[in-house]
Amino acid sequence: MEVITALDFDSIDKAKALVKSVGSHISYYKVGLELFVSSGPAIIDWLKSENKKVFLDLKFHDIPNTASRAVSAAANYGADIINIHTQGGIDMMKMCVSELNNECSKKGLNCPLLIGVTLLTSLDDEHLSTYGIGGYSSAGYVLKLATLAKECGLDGVVSSAKETKVIKENLGKEFLTITPGIRPLGGDITDQKRVVTPKDALLLGSDYIVVGRPITKAEDPAAAAESIIKELNC
Ligand code: C5P
């Protein structure tokens, strides 16, 4: 399993400082909306020059033409993982897959993994009922979205680690799961709802865990990262 650290910062300088302070403990970083909107693609170039892998977490969600053109454009940045919302619809997911493949083969790019966001880990059963999505638990809804994502040709999904087991059982081990909402034991859960510890995410079968504030807001980010890596190896 790989640990991806979320660089949720408002400037490239802060992101670079965090990566430097964490050092060799982490080799995968997530660039999300805040940092990408603040810094543009320069942060991806810099991470690549530092031999880090990049998850470009922009969660595209739009009509098929617009979303698939954004996915193709993102492939040119050299990110290793990019993502779209599974709730954007079947046509959107299918068009994103085909346009991504076209773009990568036309330009000889390394094709990034295309991952679908299911239900955000900050949402739960109460959200589903408020939004009138009756008859589904969060796990059932996530499995439904993941099943559609697989049928459309996506490489995997983002979900809570609480849903990893049911996804792997139903969709196979090769269908990837990326799981945020990770909190070490005793950590502050802040705005997340469906949280899991790093070790439990490993035992549940997650392929990647996304860890943001438990590392980025720690007094000693390198020590926080090291302790998570140690927990995973014990
Ligand atoms: O700080 P924290 O560990 O909660 O950060 C989690 C990261 O994962 C954030 O960057 C958030 O945008 C992202 N994320 C999430 N839930 C999803 C998809 C992405 O929390 N379903």
Side-chain angles (χ1 to χ4, degrees), residues 73-225:
N76 287 276
Y77 291 142
D80 302 277
I81 300 177
I82 55 183
N83 63 358
I84 60 177
H85 267 282
T86 54
Q87 293 177 87
I90 303 289
D91 291 345
M92 185 198 91
M93 287 195 277
K94 284 186 175 164
M95 196 162 168
C96 287
V97 171
S98 65
E99 288 304 306
L100 178 62
N101 289 336
N102 288 345
E103 181 77 1
C104 295
S105 57
K106 193 170 72 191
K107 298 209 177 143
L109 304 168
N110 281 332
C111 217
L113 294 169
L114 184 62
I115 300 294
V117 177
T118 57
L119 185 65
L120 295 171
T121 44
S122 53
L123 302 175
D124 56 12
D125 292 356
E126 198 183 324
H127 161 84
L128 294 178
S129 103
T130 307
Y131 272 61
I133 305 170
Y136 278 107
S137 62
S138 3
Y141 192 56
V142 167
L143 180 60
K144 176 76 189 162
L145 294 172
T147 304
L148 295 171
K150 188 176 181 199
E151 284 167 10
C152 291
L154 271 64
D155 298 297
V157 285
V158 181
S159 71
S160 161
K162 287 178 191 286
E163 289 110 30
T164 301
K165 203 161 170 273
V166 74
I167 291 171
K168 295 284 185 184
E169 277 167 6
N170 285 275
L171 304 177
K173 277 203 160 53
E174 282 70 41
F175 192 64
L176 300 169
T177 52
I178 301 186
T179 59
I182 300 295
R183 292 291 180 268
L185 268 186
D188 186 357
I189 73 166
T190 54
D191 56 347
Q192 297 283 16
K193 291 202 172 118
R194 299 176 2 259
V195 298
V196 170
T197 66
K199 186 76 181 189
D200 283 345
L202 174 72
L203 297 174
L204 289 163
S206 295
D207 298 288
Y208 303 85
I209 54 171
V210 176
V211 186
R213 287 161 288 183
I215 291 177
T216 57
K217 298 276 186 237
E219 246 173 59
D220 182 345

